[in-house]
Amino acid sequence: MISLPRPGGEQRPPTPEEFQAAVGKRLDDVAKVLAGALVTVAGVMTALGLTSDIVFVALNNESWPIYVASLCAIVAIVCSIVALLIRPTPRGNLWETIVLILGVVFYMVALSVAVVGASQAAGGNGRPTITDVRLDGPRSDLRLSFEVHADGVDTWATIEVYASAVDRNGDALSNVDFYSSVLRPDDRGDVSQRISTPATLPAKAWGIQISALAADGPEECEKLTQHGPACVEVQVP
């Protein structure tokens, strides 16, 4: 209970207005602390380029750091609520300060873990993609063109690219691919290559299959895994 001192050392119970004013002041103090933490978090997130699109990608990929960050944020909110419930005594003020500091620490931990998780998801985890596939020229003189891209590739890793003739069922018609290459990432872990190659196909070829495989990923196109390959089949004219 909040009490106000009287002259001579006597105390009287606070009026309802005084009690509400005291509670309101405490609420304002807590709100200022939380607002400062949130402004800091938002500023750091903006500086690091952590947008909502990147967070949605991380959630879609079930990135565990995002869930840990959410848990830390919930704990920080609980600390803020607990601080409001502590009695305004000298010892209570000390505990309130400690709880609020813990709340701010959990906010900052949530930010740090969220940045790690979002950067991992946004980096693509080394998954390759194949885009802009084109076949130019008549069947007797075909030229295959496509782009291979991957980001978040480890500096020691590679992206292996193959192109082969296949039948209608997707089975390779030869043990030797008419195109193959090994691509290495740059210093930022990015692989970006525009490939253009002649496509020499047997007469019974139905189409062309292009595969881009990560170094530590499976080779099966149908494999459901985070580091799965990129596969494209295109029918020849």
Side-chain angles (χ1 to χ4, degrees), residues 5-237:
R6 282 186 174 182
E10 297 181 1
Q11 295 182 343
R12 63 173 178 81
T15 64
E17 292 78 9
E18 292 171 340
F19 181 82
Q20 292 297 332
V23 173
K25 184 179 183 304
R26 296 186 63 213
L27 289 172
D28 290 342
D29 293 341
V30 174
K32 289 177 182 178
V33 173
L34 296 181
L38 291 175
V39 168
T40 303
V41 169
V44 174
M45 290 173 65
T46 302
L48 295 176
L50 186 59
T51 64
S52 58
D53 292 339
I54 295 178
V55 173
F56 290 148
V57 170
L59 292 175
N60 184 61
N61 291 338
E62 298 182 356
S63 178
W64 66 264
I66 295 297
Y67 295 101
V68 174
S70 301
L71 178 62
C72 289
I74 293 173
V75 173
I77 294 173
V78 171
C79 288
S80 305
I81 296 174
V82 170
L84 289 175
L85 301 178
I86 296 177
R87 293 176 59 84
T89 62
R91 184 180 295 273
N93 290 337
L94 176 61
W95 280 108
E96 182 178 8
T97 302
I98 294 173
V99 171
L100 286 177
I101 291 175
L102 287 176
V104 174
V105 169
F106 274 108
Y107 269 120
M108 300 309 296
V109 171
L111 167 66
S112 302
V113 178
V115 169
V116 172
S119 63
Q120 290 178 351
N125 295 316
R127 292 192 303 267
T129 57
I130 300 172
T131 58
D132 195 18
V133 180
R134 298 174 56 186
L135 280 175
D136 299 316
R139 186 184 179 98
S140 59
D141 189 24
L142 277 178
R143 191 164 194 85
L144 173 66
S145 302
F146 58 94
E147 291 185 4
V148 177
H149 178 77
D151 53 16
V153 181
D154 292 328
T155 54
W156 54 263
T158 59
I159 301 295
E160 300 178 1
V161 183
Y162 305 97
S164 60
V166 295
D167 60 19
R168 188 176 296 272
N169 296 322
D171 298 325
L173 295 177
S174 173
N175 293 329
V176 179
D177 303 307
F178 69 81
Y179 174 83
S180 65
S181 64
V182 177
L183 307 178
R184 289 193 175 275
D186 58 19
D187 293 339
R188 296 178 297 178
D190 294 338
V191 172
S192 184
Q193 184 70 42
R194 177 69 183 176
I195 296 169
S196 180
T197 178
T200 304
L201 308 177
K204 59 181 180 180
W206 174 86
I208 297 174
Q209 184 183 72
I210 310 169
S211 303
L213 286 64
D216 56 350
E219 297 184 2
E220 298 84 1
C221 293
E222 295 81 9
K223 191 74 172 180
L224 299 179
T225 177
Q226 189 176 24
H227 296 276
C231 300
V232 174
E233 285 188 3
V234 55
Q235 184 178 359
V236 297

